[in-house]
Amino acid sequence: MTMITMIYILNATIGFSFPMNGAYIGSIVIILGIISIFFLAAAKQRNENLILLDKDESGYKKDHI
């Protein structure tokens, strides 16, 4: 959905008025940038131990023992 929105903003006359091929390429570059920022931030939080992977928060084991 984000890619479709980026294509529209890049291609529309009220946006940047890029040709359709340029809008596709530009949206792909923007989406890859957003994805890389997301994964870099996740890796940073994992390295700083802000994401707990070993702790069971569900309470499943307490209720069924």
Side-chain angles (χ1 to χ4, degrees):
M1 188 59 129
T2 304
M3 186 170 171
I4 294 169
T5 305
M6 288 296 128
I7 291 171
Y8 176 75
I9 290 171
L10 293 174
N11 182 264
T13 55
I14 61 172
F16 292 102
S17 298
F18 286 171
M20 188 57 85
N21 290 337
Y24 275 114
I25 294 169
S27 66
I28 290 170
V29 169
I30 292 170
I31 295 303
L32 289 175
I34 291 171
I35 291 170
S36 64
I37 289 170
F38 172 79
F39 281 112
L40 288 173
K44 181 180 175 184
Q45 287 185 357
R46 179 182 271 178
N47 289 337
E48 293 175 357
N49 292 327
L50 296 176
I51 300 175
L52 301 175
L53 300 176
D54 298 344
K55 189 174 180 182
D56 183 20
E57 296 289 341
S58 67
Y60 173 76
K61 293 179 183 175
K62 273 193 303 189
D63 297 336
H64 290 54
I65 293 179

